[in-house]
Amino acid sequence: MVKLTVLSFYSQGGGKVAAHSWQSDTRSIGAVSYLAIQVYEYAHHRTFRAVHQRNAALQVFAFGHLPSDHFLRPLPSQPQLAPDGRTLTVDEEAIRVFTELRGKEKQVHLAVKALAGARRNARKKMRAMGVEDAEIDSGRD
């Protein structure tokens, strides 16, 4: 399990052919299409590293797009980023949350997988009724 820093998030506007676009805020994680994130790998104690072991030879940071279904929760406090951006340090409360979630990683993975399956099945049913994908996505909230 890793720690993520959300850089920005995107959602789809209303309408049949609405584009996904950057959003400054949201009232619900369900309204978000995906989050652009920087991914930090757990190093030790309360420290996470931007350069993952698998990228060590290249010395590059890891980024990704996280579907909103995979977002678990915000941290209880703001982490401290080192001036060079290579390490992130969290407080005791945040590491407690991380440790608890890490201990339940398998259950969390199964829950996310079940949610994705339920969404996929709902989408199939909506398509069978003649509803287009853009209309399905515009109904998210």
Side-chain angles (χ1 to χ4, degrees):
M1 186 170 286
V2 294
K3 198 288 185 201
L4 312 168
T5 297
V6 176
L7 303 174
S8 63
F9 54 93
Y10 295 79
S11 66
Q12 187 171 24
K16 287 188 175 189
V17 292
H20 291 269
S21 61
W22 175 82
Q23 303 295 313
S24 61
D25 61 13
T26 186
R27 59 183 166 78
S28 167
I29 191 63
V32 174
S33 301
Y34 63 89
L35 302 122
I37 57 170
Q38 181 171 358
V39 183
Y40 291 84
E41 182 178 56
Y42 180 66
H44 59 85
H45 189 50
R46 299 178 319 162
T47 305
F48 295 78
R49 60 180 157 242
V51 178
H52 298 205
Q53 286 183 340
R54 70 178 183 271
N55 299 336
L58 299 173
Q59 289 296 299
V60 295
F61 295 178
F63 297 89
H65 284 128
L66 181 73
S68 63
D69 291 350
H70 296 169
F71 181 80
L72 296 178
R73 63 165 289 173
L75 286 177
S77 59
Q78 183 69 29
Q80 299 300 310
L81 183 62
D84 65 0
R86 293 182 167 281
T87 58
L88 191 76
T89 305
V90 298
D91 66 12
E92 290 297 330
E93 187 178 0
I95 201 66
R96 181 187 54 76
V97 169
F98 174 78
T99 303
E100 286 177 17
L101 288 172
R102 192 171 166 194
K104 298 174 183 176
E105 191 169 2
K106 188 172 187 172
Q107 294 95 319
V108 169
H109 177 74
L110 291 172
V112 168
K113 189 174 180 180
L115 178 60
R119 283 233 170 126
R120 208 171 21 258
N121 291 338
R123 187 176 292 269
K124 284 180 187 176
K125 287 180 184 177
M126 298 282 284
R127 283 187 192 134
M129 294 187 313
V131 179
E132 295 179 24
D133 285 345
E135 291 177 284
I136 296 168
D137 291 336
S138 68
R140 297 178 90 186
D141 64 318

